[in-house]
Amino acid sequence: MIPTRQQLFQKLFPNEPSYRWKQALSGLFSQAKGWKEVSAFPSFLREAVEKDISWISVQVKTIEKTKDNETIKSLLQLTDGLEIESVLMRNARDAWTICISSQVGCAMRCAFCSTGAMGLKRQLSQDEIVDQYRFWQQYKIQEQIHGRISNIVVMGMGEPMANYENVRDALNILCEYTDVGPTKITVSTAGIFASLDHLLEDTLWPPVRMAISLHSADPLVRPRIMPSTPYDFFDHLRDWTKAYLEKQGNRTHHLTFEYILLDGINDRPEDAKKLITFIHSIDSHRIRVNLIPYNKAEGDLRSSTKKQRDAFQRLLKESDIITTLRTSYGQEISAACGQLAGKS
Ligand code: SAH
């Protein structure tokens, strides 16, 4: 395991007061370009830290942009040579959303997702998660890109709930040291209940939004496209969702179910009915269904037609279920959901 910056700092400077690390974090999120510019530090510390602790844990290898410059994908190299992808997308608020990775590769092996095909290489550290934000912040300044980063989605490579503590600690740092509030951060998960159950009790888990990659409400179909599905998935998800919404108390805090529409697999009227029945068995007014057009990855799955998608959405609406349709960005540079595979 690579030690985090904080661990290194504490090891190298055990006699420094505890507020020093907060100063270090403020420095990391300031305009400073290196430890030498962290003005809160006494000069001996600036020099010493500069020598022993890296300023940023990700280095850009390649950048790809869509023709309209509205989606930018970076391939980032980590200190051990492994690579991850991270995406900057313009959003409807004339600001930017970043899509960050939580692992190198992924163990979930969802049939529709390119990341799964590479398997899991390793967890990302707290620094590597946080530094994807810092990388884009710095890139925006360097390229004179206007508009702030207003939203963060943990929807890049990896399964965030399989790297729970590092994701949690990174999110807490992002909530404290950036102007992106917790309600503007969404963590998407295939549904790892060991972590999801723990999250309900964890006072350190920040009040970010959660999205569950559901993709089918049929107990025979979901395991086929998402082999990580446990046998009691739907019962567990129902109980978890009730407990989660109860805990959030706040009537405006909703939970999203993500649903990729796949031709002939989960997009028929009977599939919509199963989804409706499942949601009605919970608290339908605080669940949103985000319908996602399928972005071509490996394999022979096909996207639903617009007609199928409209019919599916109509059935949900008629049953009083709030749906949104995800706009897909970055397909021409394979930067869209499920297309991140870290190939150089
Ligand atoms: N492992 C997490 C986060 C990464 S995937 C999860 O499963 O949620 C982020 C989102 O992209 C999920 O909703 C996922 O289901 C979706 N996605 C994956 N592959 C896709 C594809 N080929 N087309 C469209 N969406 C995809």
mmCIF file of all heavy atoms in Angstrom, residues 191-214:
data_model
loop_
_atom_site.group_PDB
_atom_site.id
_atom_site.type_symbol
_atom_site.label_atom_id
_atom_site.label_comp_id
_atom_site.label_asym_id
_atom_site.label_seq_id
_atom_site.Cartn_x
_atom_site.Cartn_y
_atom_site.Cartn_z
ATOM 1 N N GLY A 191 -24.232 -1.746 -5.933
ATOM 2 C CA GLY A 191 -24.964 -2.270 -4.781
ATOM 3 C C GLY A 191 -24.178 -3.289 -3.994
ATOM 4 O O GLY A 191 -24.427 -4.496 -4.097
ATOM 5 N N ILE A 192 -23.202 -2.806 -3.214
ATOM 6 C CA ILE A 192 -22.422 -3.707 -2.357
ATOM 7 C C ILE A 192 -22.988 -3.525 -0.955
ATOM 8 O O ILE A 192 -22.725 -2.513 -0.294
ATOM 9 C CB ILE A 192 -20.928 -3.298 -2.344
ATOM 10 C CG1 ILE A 192 -20.398 -3.104 -3.764
ATOM 11 C CG2 ILE A 192 -20.084 -4.282 -1.526
ATOM 12 C CD1 ILE A 192 -20.052 -4.376 -4.475
ATOM 13 N N PHE A 193 -23.775 -4.487 -0.486
ATOM 14 C CA PHE A 193 -24.533 -4.240 0.745
ATOM 15 C C PHE A 193 -23.671 -4.171 1.998
ATOM 16 O O PHE A 193 -24.036 -3.484 2.950
ATOM 17 C CB PHE A 193 -25.661 -5.260 0.892
ATOM 18 C CG PHE A 193 -26.753 -5.003 -0.104
ATOM 19 C CD1 PHE A 193 -27.036 -5.922 -1.095
ATOM 20 C CD2 PHE A 193 -27.482 -3.816 -0.068
ATOM 21 C CE1 PHE A 193 -28.036 -5.672 -2.035
ATOM 22 C CE2 PHE A 193 -28.474 -3.552 -0.995
ATOM 23 C CZ PHE A 193 -28.754 -4.493 -1.979
ATOM 24 N N ALA A 194 -22.543 -4.880 1.997
ATOM 25 C CA ALA A 194 -21.685 -4.776 3.188
ATOM 26 C C ALA A 194 -21.356 -3.306 3.443
ATOM 27 O O ALA A 194 -21.419 -2.828 4.583
ATOM 28 C CB ALA A 194 -20.407 -5.588 2.990
ATOM 29 N N SER A 195 -21.050 -2.565 2.385
ATOM 30 C CA SER A 195 -20.732 -1.137 2.541
ATOM 31 C C SER A 195 -21.985 -0.291 2.691
ATOM 32 O O SER A 195 -22.025 0.636 3.506
ATOM 33 C CB SER A 195 -19.952 -0.633 1.333
ATOM 34 O OG SER A 195 -18.748 -1.327 1.207
ATOM 35 N N LEU A 196 -22.999 -0.587 1.893
ATOM 36 C CA LEU A 196 -24.220 0.234 1.959
ATOM 37 C C LEU A 196 -24.856 0.165 3.343
ATOM 38 O O LEU A 196 -25.332 1.171 3.875
ATOM 39 C CB LEU A 196 -25.216 -0.216 0.879
ATOM 40 C CG LEU A 196 -24.833 0.180 -0.553
ATOM 41 C CD1 LEU A 196 -25.771 -0.491 -1.562
ATOM 42 C CD2 LEU A 196 -24.854 1.692 -0.746
ATOM 43 N N ASP A 197 -24.860 -1.020 3.938
ATOM 44 C CA ASP A 197 -25.431 -1.154 5.286
ATOM 45 C C ASP A 197 -24.589 -0.386 6.298
ATOM 46 O O ASP A 197 -25.110 0.290 7.178
ATOM 47 C CB ASP A 197 -25.526 -2.636 5.692
ATOM 48 C CG ASP A 197 -26.630 -3.361 4.921
ATOM 49 O OD1 ASP A 197 -27.521 -2.676 4.383
ATOM 50 O OD2 ASP A 197 -26.599 -4.607 4.859
ATOM 51 N N HIS A 198 -23.275 -0.470 6.135
ATOM 52 C CA HIS A 198 -22.373 0.226 7.041
ATOM 53 C C HIS A 198 -22.571 1.742 6.948
ATOM 54 O O HIS A 198 -22.577 2.458 7.962
ATOM 55 C CB HIS A 198 -20.933 -0.162 6.701
ATOM 56 C CG HIS A 198 -19.905 0.544 7.522
ATOM 57 N ND1 HIS A 198 -19.925 0.524 8.893
ATOM 58 C CD2 HIS A 198 -18.844 1.313 7.165
ATOM 59 C CE1 HIS A 198 -18.913 1.261 9.344
ATOM 60 N NE2 HIS A 198 -18.252 1.752 8.320
ATOM 61 N N LEU A 199 -22.762 2.212 5.726
ATOM 62 C CA LEU A 199 -22.956 3.648 5.472
ATOM 63 C C LEU A 199 -24.127 4.231 6.289
ATOM 64 O O LEU A 199 -24.071 5.370 6.756
ATOM 65 C CB LEU A 199 -23.174 3.771 3.976
ATOM 66 C CG LEU A 199 -23.515 5.019 3.209
ATOM 67 C CD1 LEU A 199 -23.154 4.776 1.753
ATOM 68 C CD2 LEU A 199 -24.950 5.410 3.318
ATOM 69 N N LEU A 200 -25.162 3.406 6.483
ATOM 70 C CA LEU A 200 -26.337 3.891 7.239
ATOM 71 C C LEU A 200 -25.975 4.242 8.684
ATOM 72 O O LEU A 200 -26.599 5.094 9.301
ATOM 73 C CB LEU A 200 -27.441 2.822 7.242
ATOM 74 C CG LEU A 200 -28.081 2.476 5.904
ATOM 75 C CD1 LEU A 200 -29.050 1.322 6.084
ATOM 76 C CD2 LEU A 200 -28.784 3.688 5.293
ATOM 77 N N GLU A 201 -24.957 3.556 9.202
ATOM 78 C CA GLU A 201 -24.579 3.751 10.607
ATOM 79 C C GLU A 201 -23.359 4.652 10.759
ATOM 80 O O GLU A 201 -23.008 5.035 11.874
ATOM 81 C CB GLU A 201 -24.188 2.390 11.236
ATOM 82 C CG GLU A 201 -25.193 1.268 11.039
ATOM 83 C CD GLU A 201 -26.493 1.556 11.760
ATOM 84 O OE1 GLU A 201 -26.420 2.163 12.837
ATOM 85 O OE2 GLU A 201 -27.556 1.188 11.230
ATOM 86 N N ASP A 202 -22.710 4.929 9.645
ATOM 87 C CA ASP A 202 -21.394 5.568 9.706
ATOM 88 C C ASP A 202 -21.539 7.090 9.827
ATOM 89 O O ASP A 202 -21.936 7.764 8.876
ATOM 90 C CB ASP A 202 -20.615 5.204 8.431
ATOM 91 C CG ASP A 202 -19.189 5.721 8.446
ATOM 92 O OD1 ASP A 202 -18.792 6.380 9.431
ATOM 93 O OD2 ASP A 202 -18.473 5.463 7.469
ATOM 94 N N THR A 203 -21.181 7.630 10.985
ATOM 95 C CA THR A 203 -21.322 9.077 11.184
ATOM 96 C C THR A 203 -20.312 9.856 10.339
ATOM 97 O O THR A 203 -20.465 11.060 10.151
ATOM 98 C CB THR A 203 -21.093 9.447 12.673
ATOM 99 O OG1 THR A 203 -19.843 8.878 13.073
ATOM 100 C CG2 THR A 203 -22.222 8.917 13.542
ATOM 101 N N LEU A 204 -19.301 9.185 9.828
ATOM 102 C CA LEU A 204 -18.319 9.881 8.994
ATOM 103 C C LEU A 204 -18.728 9.938 7.522
ATOM 104 O O LEU A 204 -18.085 10.596 6.716
ATOM 105 C CB LEU A 204 -16.943 9.201 9.102
ATOM 106 C CG LEU A 204 -16.283 9.233 10.476
ATOM 107 C CD1 LEU A 204 -14.959 8.476 10.429
ATOM 108 C CD2 LEU A 204 -16.051 10.675 10.925
ATOM 109 N N TRP A 205 -19.761 9.216 7.159
ATOM 110 C CA TRP A 205 -20.179 9.226 5.743
ATOM 111 C C TRP A 205 -20.846 10.584 5.437
ATOM 112 O O TRP A 205 -21.809 10.969 6.101
ATOM 113 C CB TRP A 205 -21.143 8.062 5.449
ATOM 114 C CG TRP A 205 -21.535 8.074 3.998
ATOM 115 C CD1 TRP A 205 -22.693 8.569 3.468
ATOM 116 C CD2 TRP A 205 -20.744 7.627 2.889
ATOM 117 N NE1 TRP A 205 -22.667 8.455 2.109
ATOM 118 C CE2 TRP A 205 -21.489 7.885 1.715
ATOM 119 C CE3 TRP A 205 -19.476 7.044 2.756
ATOM 120 C CZ2 TRP A 205 -21.015 7.581 0.433
ATOM 121 C CZ3 TRP A 205 -19.008 6.740 1.478
ATOM 122 C CH2 TRP A 205 -19.768 7.003 0.341
ATOM 123 N N PRO A 206 -20.367 11.329 4.446
ATOM 124 C CA PRO A 206 -20.929 12.664 4.179
ATOM 125 C C PRO A 206 -22.305 12.568 3.495
ATOM 126 O O PRO A 206 -22.597 11.554 2.858
ATOM 127 C CB PRO A 206 -19.901 13.282 3.229
ATOM 128 C CG PRO A 206 -19.240 12.123 2.556
ATOM 129 C CD PRO A 206 -19.259 10.983 3.545
ATOM 130 N N PRO A 207 -23.138 13.609 3.640
ATOM 131 C CA PRO A 207 -24.508 13.547 3.085
ATOM 132 C C PRO A 207 -24.557 13.761 1.571
ATOM 133 O O PRO A 207 -25.258 14.634 1.076
ATOM 134 C CB PRO A 207 -25.249 14.649 3.843
ATOM 135 C CG PRO A 207 -24.186 15.606 4.266
ATOM 136 C CD PRO A 207 -22.911 14.831 4.434
ATOM 137 N N VAL A 208 -23.812 12.958 0.848
ATOM 138 C CA VAL A 208 -23.803 13.037 -0.616
ATOM 139 C C VAL A 208 -25.002 12.268 -1.163
ATOM 140 O O VAL A 208 -25.654 11.514 -0.437
ATOM 141 C CB VAL A 208 -22.491 12.447 -1.197
ATOM 142 C CG1 VAL A 208 -21.288 13.258 -0.757
ATOM 143 C CG2 VAL A 208 -22.314 10.978 -0.793
ATOM 144 N N ARG A 209 -25.317 12.468 -2.430
ATOM 145 C CA ARG A 209 -26.404 11.718 -3.076
ATOM 146 C C ARG A 209 -25.909 10.336 -3.492
ATOM 147 O O ARG A 209 -24.745 10.179 -3.863
ATOM 148 C CB ARG A 209 -26.893 12.444 -4.324
ATOM 149 C CG ARG A 209 -27.401 13.849 -4.093
ATOM 150 C CD ARG A 209 -28.576 13.861 -3.155
ATOM 151 N NE ARG A 209 -29.268 15.138 -3.189
ATOM 152 C CZ ARG A 209 -29.868 15.681 -2.143
ATOM 153 N NH1 ARG A 209 -29.839 15.084 -0.963
ATOM 154 N NH2 ARG A 209 -30.511 16.828 -2.255
ATOM 155 N N MET A 210 -26.825 9.382 -3.441
ATOM 156 C CA MET A 210 -26.476 8.027 -3.862
ATOM 157 C C MET A 210 -27.285 7.653 -5.103
ATOM 158 O O MET A 210 -28.438 8.071 -5.257
ATOM 159 C CB MET A 210 -26.810 7.014 -2.761
ATOM 160 C CG MET A 210 -26.054 7.182 -1.451
ATOM 161 S SD MET A 210 -24.275 6.967 -1.610
ATOM 162 C CE MET A 210 -24.153 5.246 -2.132
ATOM 163 N N ALA A 211 -26.685 6.880 -5.948
ATOM 164 C CA ALA A 211 -27.395 6.327 -7.109
ATOM 165 C C ALA A 211 -27.094 4.836 -7.165
ATOM 166 O O ALA A 211 -25.951 4.420 -6.976
ATOM 167 C CB ALA A 211 -26.922 7.015 -8.384
ATOM 168 N N ILE A 212 -28.147 4.057 -7.355
ATOM 169 C CA ILE A 212 -27.967 2.603 -7.425
ATOM 170 C C ILE A 212 -28.085 2.170 -8.885
ATOM 171 O O ILE A 212 -29.073 2.496 -9.556
ATOM 172 C CB ILE A 212 -29.068 1.872 -6.607
ATOM 173 C CG1 ILE A 212 -29.152 2.416 -5.167
ATOM 174 C CG2 ILE A 212 -28.861 0.356 -6.645
ATOM 175 C CD1 ILE A 212 -28.016 2.054 -4.252
ATOM 176 N N SER A 213 -27.082 1.484 -9.368
ATOM 177 C CA SER A 213 -27.154 0.948 -10.732
ATOM 178 C C SER A 213 -28.045 -0.282 -10.711
ATOM 179 O O SER A 213 -27.600 -1.370 -10.364
ATOM 180 C CB SER A 213 -25.751 0.577 -11.223
ATOM 181 O OG SER A 213 -25.011 1.735 -11.484
ATOM 182 N N LEU A 214 -29.302 -0.084 -11.043
ATOM 183 C CA LEU A 214 -30.272 -1.171 -10.935
ATOM 184 C C LEU A 214 -30.310 -1.982 -12.236
ATOM 185 O O LEU A 214 -30.058 -3.173 -12.239
ATOM 186 C CB LEU A 214 -31.647 -0.582 -10.604
ATOM 187 C CG LEU A 214 -32.722 -1.569 -10.208
ATOM 188 C CD1 LEU A 214 -32.356 -2.308 -8.934
ATOM 189 C CD2 LEU A 214 -34.062 -0.862 -10.036
#
